[in-house]
Amino acid sequence: MMNNVSTISVFFLSGLNETRNYRSLLFFLTLMCYIVIVLANVCVILTIILNNELHEPMYILLCVFCLNSLYGTVGFYPKFLWDLLSPVHVISYSGCLLQAQVLYSFACSDLSILALMAYDRYLAICQPLKYHSLMSKQRVITLVCLAWLMPFCVIAVNIILASRLKLCSPYLNRLICLNWSIVMLACFPAETTANSIVGNLTIIIYGLHGVIIGWSYLFLIKTCVGSIENRKKFMQTCVPHLISLFTFLATILFDVIYIRFDSKNLPQTLKHFVSIEFLIIPPIMNPLIYGFKLTKIRNKIVASMKMK
């Protein structure tokens, strides 16, 4: 290991200090929330995997989207539930870096997958004759691998840079470990220049993902206006994507603003909710939206329930 690696072995999370009086209620609500997330996402995943007629690019991407939600939430809920039952809220140094890696790579992968979904819908509606050649299963698998690996590697660079810093405090006023929260504990702010540059580049890269997705849907809307058939396709398959996109971007935007600027005017409880809402709202909403809105998936889920 490098000489300037922090000697801190554990972090103390102080974000739960004000929850002493209603920790049991919070544990119950959090557990119910996590159960709903797991069941809803697993339901959509299994429905797609077990039905051959759903092995199309759009549904494969949706399956990956739900898998990514499970990946991201497993980095938060088990630890958070454990903390709600524990008198002392600590996490090991390596565990904190791992949690930050999982949560950030989950968020960035979500944007990458949403970008692929937008590209898929653009080809399906605007280039229908080229769709099957451009979105073959082999190409979809390749794109999905890139949508997972690229964010993972980008975030890993951020985490490695954070791991090199000498830290002066083991106390995080957070519910979870986030990269920038660790960086802010650095003893020597001058050493965090590289962290700031890489962190800002990461925000720009994935912010551009959101801009590109938004632009592609504006183009889709413009294309669909003049065709009843295309309008029907758009309403059936693109509206769920748009709802997922706006929900995700809103939660991430609030989170980035909160982490970077840390407004002193917000109540502490609201601050903590803002910091974890991207782990609550999108993972619940996405499978429910797609399960109800996409006809093929809804029909398959209803049919399987009737069989039982």
Side-chain angles (χ1 to χ4, degrees):
M1 294 181 71
M2 300 185 68
N3 293 329
N4 65 335
V5 171
S6 172
T7 56
I8 291 173
S9 59
V10 296
F11 285 106
F12 295 89
L13 303 172
S14 59
L16 283 171
N17 288 347
E18 67 272 17
T19 65
R20 289 189 184 92
N21 296 330
Y22 50 93
R23 201 165 286 174
S24 297
L25 175 62
L26 189 56
F27 177 85
F28 174 75
L29 293 175
T30 303
L31 180 61
M32 290 300 101
C33 179
Y34 189 40
I35 289 172
V36 170
I37 287 172
V38 172
L39 291 178
N41 282 281
V42 168
C43 180
V44 173
I45 291 166
L46 291 179
T47 301
I48 293 170
I49 291 174
L50 297 176
N51 290 278
N52 291 331
E53 58 266 45
L54 297 179
H55 294 177
E56 300 173 7
M58 181 176 73
Y59 298 108
I60 293 172
L61 291 173
L62 174 56
C63 183
V64 172
F65 197 42
C66 292
L67 280 169
N68 194 53
S69 291
L70 294 179
Y71 161 70
T73 52
V74 80
F76 166 68
Y77 283 93
K79 176 67 173 71
F80 185 63
L81 288 166
W82 177 261
D83 283 343
L84 288 171
L85 297 176
S86 305
V88 180
H89 311 120
V90 298
I91 186 169
S92 67
Y93 180 81
S94 56
C96 192
L97 294 178
L98 177 62
Q99 185 181 61
Q101 171 70 30
V102 171
L103 298 185
Y104 275 86
S105 59
F106 149 70
C108 293
S109 292
D110 250 15
L111 270 175
S112 296
I113 296 165
L114 282 167
L116 289 180
M117 288 178 160
Y119 177 62
D120 173 77
R121 290 301 85 203
Y122 164 75
L123 290 178
I125 293 174
C126 301
Q127 304 284 338
L129 298 178
K130 298 179 182 178
Y131 178 72
H132 291 291
S133 60
L134 292 174
M135 288 298 282
S136 62
K137 284 186 181 180
Q138 188 68 36
R139 179 165 290 185
V140 170
I141 292 169
T142 302
L143 291 172
V144 163
C145 290
L146 288 173
W148 261 337
L149 289 174
M150 289 300 291
F152 190 88
C153 293
V154 169
I155 298 305
V157 173
N158 284 269
I159 301 301
I160 289 169
L161 287 173
S163 72
R164 297 172 67 251
L165 297 172
K166 178 74 175 179
L167 306 182
C168 284
S169 172
Y171 294 97
L172 286 171
N173 187 25
R174 296 284 187 270
L175 297 172
I176 54 178
C177 290
L178 297 174
N179 183 59
W180 194 249
S181 300
I182 299 170
V183 172
M184 289 175 69
L185 298 177
C187 297
F188 309 106
E191 292 183 352
T192 66
T193 303
N195 300 77
S196 295
I197 293 171
V198 174
N200 288 329
L201 282 174
T202 303
I203 291 172
I204 290 169
I205 289 168
Y206 288 98
L208 286 173
H209 274 57
V211 172
I212 292 169
I213 296 167
W215 179 86
S216 66
Y217 279 117
L218 286 175
F219 187 80
L220 275 168
I221 292 169
K222 184 180 177 182
T223 303
C224 293
V225 166
S227 168
I228 295 175
E229 184 181 350
N230 283 342
R231 281 205 300 271
K232 186 178 179 182
K233 279 185 184 179
F234 182 87
M235 293 302 295
Q236 286 182 339
T237 62
C238 295
V239 168
H241 298 168
L242 281 173
I243 295 172
S244 296
L245 174 65
F246 288 136
T247 302
F248 183 77
L249 288 181
T251 55
I252 290 296
L253 180 63
F254 281 124
D255 192 41
V256 169
I257 292 171
Y258 164 54
I259 292 170
R260 288 291 171 140
F261 301 105
D262 198 10
S263 174
K264 301 290 189 299
N265 299 322
L266 291 175
Q268 198 67 24
T269 304
L270 179 59
K271 284 183 181 181
H272 292 321
F273 176 74
V274 168
S275 71
I276 62 170
E277 62 181 336
F278 75 102
L279 294 160
I280 300 173
I281 300 172
I284 289 178
M285 281 188 62
N286 291 337
L288 295 178
I289 290 168
Y290 287 108
F292 284 109
K293 184 64 180 173
L294 296 181
T295 307
K296 283 187 178 181
I297 292 181
R298 184 176 68 246
N299 290 344
K300 292 295 179 184
I301 292 173
V302 171
S304 64
M305 291 176 67
K306 286 181 178 178
M307 287 174 65
K308 294 177 182 179

Short mmCIF file of all heavy atoms in Angstrom, two decimals, residues 185-222:
data_model
loop_
_atom_site.label_atom_id
_atom_site.label_comp_id
_atom_site.label_asym_id
_atom_site.label_seq_id
_atom_site.Cartn_x
_atom_site.Cartn_y
_atom_site.Cartn_z
N LEU A 185 -12.79 15.00 4.07
CA LEU A 185 -12.10 14.74 5.34
C LEU A 185 -10.59 14.82 5.20
O LEU A 185 -9.86 14.58 6.17
CB LEU A 185 -12.49 13.35 5.88
CG LEU A 185 -13.97 13.11 6.20
CD1 LEU A 185 -14.17 11.66 6.64
CD2 LEU A 185 -14.45 14.06 7.29
N ALA A 186 -10.10 15.14 4.01
CA ALA A 186 -8.66 15.17 3.76
C ALA A 186 -7.96 16.20 4.64
O ALA A 186 -8.46 17.31 4.84
CB ALA A 186 -8.39 15.48 2.29
N CYS A 187 -6.79 15.82 5.16
CA CYS A 187 -6.01 16.74 6.01
C CYS A 187 -5.45 17.90 5.21
O CYS A 187 -5.33 19.01 5.71
CB CYS A 187 -4.86 15.98 6.66
SG CYS A 187 -5.37 14.66 7.78
N PHE A 188 -5.08 17.62 3.98
CA PHE A 188 -4.44 18.63 3.15
C PHE A 188 -5.29 18.87 1.89
O PHE A 188 -5.19 18.11 0.92
CB PHE A 188 -3.02 18.18 2.76
CG PHE A 188 -2.20 17.73 3.93
CD1 PHE A 188 -1.94 16.38 4.14
CD2 PHE A 188 -1.71 18.66 4.84
CE1 PHE A 188 -1.20 15.96 5.23
CE2 PHE A 188 -0.96 18.24 5.94
CZ PHE A 188 -0.71 16.89 6.13
N PRO A 189 -6.12 19.92 1.89
CA PRO A 189 -7.01 20.21 0.75
C PRO A 189 -6.27 20.30 -0.58
O PRO A 189 -6.84 19.98 -1.62
CB PRO A 189 -7.64 21.55 1.13
CG PRO A 189 -7.60 21.57 2.62
CD PRO A 189 -6.33 20.88 3.01
N ALA A 190 -5.01 20.72 -0.56
CA ALA A 190 -4.24 20.84 -1.80
C ALA A 190 -4.08 19.48 -2.50
O ALA A 190 -3.92 19.42 -3.72
CB ALA A 190 -2.86 21.44 -1.51
N GLU A 191 -4.14 18.40 -1.71
CA GLU A 191 -3.98 17.06 -2.28
C GLU A 191 -5.24 16.57 -2.98
O GLU A 191 -5.22 15.52 -3.63
CB GLU A 191 -3.59 16.06 -1.18
CG GLU A 191 -2.19 16.29 -0.61
CD GLU A 191 -1.84 15.22 0.42
OE1 GLU A 191 -2.74 14.42 0.78
OE2 GLU A 191 -0.68 15.19 0.85
N THR A 192 -6.34 17.31 -2.83
CA THR A 192 -7.62 16.86 -3.41
C THR A 192 -7.88 17.44 -4.80
O THR A 192 -8.96 17.25 -5.35
CB THR A 192 -8.80 17.23 -2.48
OG1 THR A 192 -8.93 18.67 -2.44
CG2 THR A 192 -8.58 16.71 -1.08
N THR A 193 -6.89 18.12 -5.37
CA THR A 193 -7.08 18.74 -6.69
C THR A 193 -7.44 17.70 -7.74
O THR A 193 -8.38 17.88 -8.52
CB THR A 193 -5.80 19.49 -7.13
OG1 THR A 193 -5.47 20.46 -6.15
CG2 THR A 193 -6.01 20.17 -8.47
N ALA A 194 -6.70 16.59 -7.76
CA ALA A 194 -6.97 15.52 -8.73
C ALA A 194 -8.36 14.94 -8.52
O ALA A 194 -9.08 14.65 -9.48
CB ALA A 194 -5.91 14.43 -8.61
N ASN A 195 -8.76 14.80 -7.24
CA ASN A 195 -10.11 14.30 -6.94
C ASN A 195 -11.18 15.22 -7.50
O ASN A 195 -12.18 14.75 -8.08
CB ASN A 195 -10.30 14.18 -5.43
CG ASN A 195 -9.31 13.23 -4.78
OD1 ASN A 195 -8.16 13.58 -4.58
ND2 ASN A 195 -9.76 12.03 -4.47
N SER A 196 -10.97 16.54 -7.34
CA SER A 196 -11.94 17.52 -7.83
C SER A 196 -12.03 17.47 -9.36
O SER A 196 -13.13 17.50 -9.92
CB SER A 196 -11.56 18.93 -7.38
OG SER A 196 -11.63 19.03 -5.98
N ILE A 197 -10.88 17.40 -10.02
CA ILE A 197 -10.87 17.39 -11.49
C ILE A 197 -11.58 16.15 -12.02
O ILE A 197 -12.46 16.24 -12.88
CB ILE A 197 -9.42 17.44 -12.01
CG1 ILE A 197 -8.79 18.80 -11.69
CG2 ILE A 197 -9.37 17.19 -13.52
CD1 ILE A 197 -7.30 18.88 -11.97
N VAL A 198 -11.19 14.97 -11.50
CA VAL A 198 -11.79 13.72 -11.97
C VAL A 198 -13.27 13.66 -11.59
O VAL A 198 -14.12 13.22 -12.39
CB VAL A 198 -11.04 12.49 -11.40
CG1 VAL A 198 -11.76 11.20 -11.77
CG2 VAL A 198 -9.61 12.47 -11.91
N GLY A 199 -13.61 14.15 -10.39
CA GLY A 199 -15.01 14.16 -9.96
C GLY A 199 -15.87 15.05 -10.85
O GLY A 199 -16.98 14.66 -11.25
N ASN A 200 -15.36 16.23 -11.17
CA ASN A 200 -16.11 17.15 -12.05
C ASN A 200 -16.23 16.60 -13.46
O ASN A 200 -17.27 16.76 -14.11
CB ASN A 200 -15.43 18.52 -12.07
CG ASN A 200 -15.64 19.29 -10.77
OD1 ASN A 200 -16.65 19.14 -10.11
ND2 ASN A 200 -14.66 20.10 -10.39
N LEU A 201 -15.17 15.94 -13.95
CA LEU A 201 -15.24 15.32 -15.28
C LEU A 201 -16.29 14.21 -15.30
O LEU A 201 -17.03 14.06 -16.29
CB LEU A 201 -13.87 14.74 -15.67
CG LEU A 201 -12.82 15.75 -16.15
CD1 LEU A 201 -11.47 15.04 -16.36
CD2 LEU A 201 -13.27 16.40 -17.46
N THR A 202 -16.37 13.46 -14.20
CA THR A 202 -17.37 12.39 -14.11
C THR A 202 -18.78 12.97 -14.15
O THR A 202 -19.66 12.45 -14.86
CB THR A 202 -17.18 11.59 -12.81
OG1 THR A 202 -15.85 11.06 -12.76
CG2 THR A 202 -18.19 10.44 -12.72
N ILE A 203 -18.99 14.07 -13.41
CA ILE A 203 -20.30 14.73 -13.41
C ILE A 203 -20.64 15.24 -14.81
O ILE A 203 -21.78 15.09 -15.29
CB ILE A 203 -20.32 15.90 -12.39
CG1 ILE A 203 -20.27 15.34 -10.96
CG2 ILE A 203 -21.57 16.75 -12.57
CD1 ILE A 203 -20.08 16.40 -9.90
N ILE A 204 -19.66 15.82 -15.49
CA ILE A 204 -19.88 16.35 -16.85
C ILE A 204 -20.22 15.21 -17.82
O ILE A 204 -21.17 15.31 -18.61
CB ILE A 204 -18.63 17.12 -17.35
CG1 ILE A 204 -18.48 18.43 -16.56
CG2 ILE A 204 -18.74 17.42 -18.84
CD1 ILE A 204 -17.16 19.13 -16.78
N ILE A 205 -19.45 14.11 -17.75
CA ILE A 205 -19.67 12.97 -18.65
C ILE A 205 -21.09 12.43 -18.51
O ILE A 205 -21.80 12.24 -19.51
CB ILE A 205 -18.65 11.85 -18.38
CG1 ILE A 205 -17.25 12.28 -18.85
CG2 ILE A 205 -19.06 10.55 -19.09
CD1 ILE A 205 -16.14 11.36 -18.37
N TYR A 206 -21.50 12.20 -17.27
CA TYR A 206 -22.82 11.59 -17.07
C TYR A 206 -23.94 12.63 -17.10
O TYR A 206 -25.10 12.28 -17.35
CB TYR A 206 -22.81 10.74 -15.79
CG TYR A 206 -22.00 9.49 -16.03
CD1 TYR A 206 -20.67 9.40 -15.63
CD2 TYR A 206 -22.53 8.43 -16.76
CE1 TYR A 206 -19.91 8.28 -15.91
CE2 TYR A 206 -21.78 7.31 -17.04
CZ TYR A 206 -20.47 7.24 -16.62
OH TYR A 206 -19.71 6.13 -16.93
N GLY A 207 -23.58 13.90 -16.90
CA GLY A 207 -24.55 14.96 -17.16
C GLY A 207 -24.87 15.05 -18.64
O GLY A 207 -26.03 15.24 -19.04
N LEU A 208 -23.83 14.87 -19.47
CA LEU A 208 -24.03 14.86 -20.93
C LEU A 208 -24.89 13.67 -21.36
O LEU A 208 -25.64 13.76 -22.33
CB LEU A 208 -22.68 14.83 -21.65
CG LEU A 208 -21.90 16.15 -21.65
CD1 LEU A 208 -20.52 15.95 -22.25
CD2 LEU A 208 -22.66 17.23 -22.41
N HIS A 209 -24.75 12.56 -20.63
CA HIS A 209 -25.65 11.42 -20.90
C HIS A 209 -27.10 11.87 -20.81
O HIS A 209 -27.92 11.55 -21.68
CB HIS A 209 -25.42 10.30 -19.87
CG HIS A 209 -24.32 9.35 -20.23
ND1 HIS A 209 -23.03 9.77 -20.47
CD2 HIS A 209 -24.32 7.99 -20.38
CE1 HIS A 209 -22.28 8.71 -20.74
NE2 HIS A 209 -23.05 7.63 -20.70
N GLY A 210 -27.41 12.59 -19.74
CA GLY A 210 -28.78 13.07 -19.55
C GLY A 210 -29.22 14.02 -20.64
O GLY A 210 -30.36 13.95 -21.12
N VAL A 211 -28.31 14.92 -21.07
CA VAL A 211 -28.62 15.87 -22.14
C VAL A 211 -28.89 15.13 -23.45
O VAL A 211 -29.86 15.42 -24.17
CB VAL A 211 -27.47 16.87 -22.33
CG1 VAL A 211 -27.69 17.73 -23.57
CG2 VAL A 211 -27.32 17.75 -21.09
N ILE A 212 -28.04 14.15 -23.76
CA ILE A 212 -28.20 13.37 -25.00
C ILE A 212 -29.51 12.59 -24.99
O ILE A 212 -30.23 12.53 -26.00
CB ILE A 212 -27.00 12.41 -25.18
CG1 ILE A 212 -25.73 13.23 -25.47
CG2 ILE A 212 -27.26 11.42 -26.31
CD1 ILE A 212 -24.46 12.41 -25.39
N ILE A 213 -29.83 12.00 -23.84
CA ILE A 213 -31.10 11.26 -23.72
C ILE A 213 -32.27 12.19 -23.94
O ILE A 213 -33.21 11.88 -24.69
CB ILE A 213 -31.20 10.57 -22.34
CG1 ILE A 213 -30.11 9.52 -22.17
CG2 ILE A 213 -32.58 9.91 -22.18
CD1 ILE A 213 -29.95 9.04 -20.74
N GLY A 214 -32.24 13.35 -23.28
CA GLY A 214 -33.31 14.32 -23.44
C GLY A 214 -33.45 14.78 -24.88
O GLY A 214 -34.57 14.87 -25.41
N TRP A 215 -32.33 15.05 -25.54
CA TRP A 215 -32.35 15.48 -26.94
C TRP A 215 -32.94 14.40 -27.83
O TRP A 215 -33.73 14.69 -28.74
CB TRP A 215 -30.94 15.83 -27.40
CG TRP A 215 -30.89 16.26 -28.85
CD1 TRP A 215 -31.10 17.50 -29.35
CD2 TRP A 215 -30.63 15.41 -29.98
NE1 TRP A 215 -30.97 17.49 -30.72
CE2 TRP A 215 -30.69 16.22 -31.14
CE3 TRP A 215 -30.35 14.05 -30.11
CZ2 TRP A 215 -30.49 15.72 -32.41
CZ3 TRP A 215 -30.15 13.54 -31.38
CH2 TRP A 215 -30.21 14.37 -32.51
N SER A 216 -32.56 13.14 -27.60
CA SER A 216 -33.06 12.04 -28.44
C SER A 216 -34.57 11.89 -28.30
O SER A 216 -35.27 11.62 -29.30
CB SER A 216 -32.36 10.72 -28.07
OG SER A 216 -32.70 10.32 -26.76
N TYR A 217 -35.09 12.10 -27.09
CA TYR A 217 -36.53 11.99 -26.92
C TYR A 217 -37.27 13.18 -27.53
O TYR A 217 -38.40 13.02 -28.02
CB TYR A 217 -36.89 11.82 -25.43
CG TYR A 217 -36.74 10.40 -24.96
CD1 TYR A 217 -35.83 10.06 -23.97
CD2 TYR A 217 -37.51 9.38 -25.51
CE1 TYR A 217 -35.68 8.75 -23.54
CE2 TYR A 217 -37.37 8.07 -25.10
CZ TYR A 217 -36.46 7.76 -24.12
OH TYR A 217 -36.32 6.46 -23.71
N LEU A 218 -36.66 14.35 -27.50
CA LEU A 218 -37.25 15.49 -28.20
C LEU A 218 -37.34 15.21 -29.69
O LEU A 218 -38.34 15.53 -30.35
CB LEU A 218 -36.42 16.75 -27.95
CG LEU A 218 -36.54 17.40 -26.57
CD1 LEU A 218 -35.56 18.56 -26.44
CD2 LEU A 218 -37.96 17.88 -26.32
N PHE A 219 -36.29 14.58 -30.24
CA PHE A 219 -36.29 14.21 -31.65
C PHE A 219 -37.37 13.16 -31.93
O PHE A 219 -38.07 13.22 -32.95
CB PHE A 219 -34.91 13.66 -32.05
CG PHE A 219 -34.77 13.39 -33.52
CD1 PHE A 219 -34.50 14.43 -34.41
CD2 PHE A 219 -34.90 12.11 -34.03
CE1 PHE A 219 -34.37 14.19 -35.77
CE2 PHE A 219 -34.77 11.85 -35.38
CZ PHE A 219 -34.50 12.91 -36.26
N LEU A 220 -37.52 12.21 -30.99
CA LEU A 220 -38.55 11.18 -31.13
C LEU A 220 -39.95 11.80 -31.12
O LEU A 220 -40.81 11.41 -31.91
CB LEU A 220 -38.43 10.16 -30.00
CG LEU A 220 -37.44 9.01 -30.20
CD1 LEU A 220 -37.23 8.26 -28.90
CD2 LEU A 220 -37.93 8.06 -31.27
N ILE A 221 -40.17 12.73 -30.20
CA ILE A 221 -41.48 13.40 -30.12
C ILE A 221 -41.78 14.12 -31.43
O ILE A 221 -42.90 14.04 -31.96
CB ILE A 221 -41.51 14.39 -28.93
CG1 ILE A 221 -41.47 13.61 -27.60
CG2 ILE A 221 -42.75 15.27 -28.98
CD1 ILE A 221 -41.23 14.48 -26.39
N LYS A 222 -40.79 14.83 -31.96
CA LYS A 222 -40.95 15.55 -33.22
C LYS A 222 -41.29 14.59 -34.36
O LYS A 222 -42.15 14.87 -35.21
CB LYS A 222 -39.67 16.32 -33.54
CG LYS A 222 -39.77 17.17 -34.79
CD LYS A 222 -38.45 17.91 -35.03
CE LYS A 222 -38.53 18.72 -36.34
NZ LYS A 222 -37.24 19.42 -36.61
#
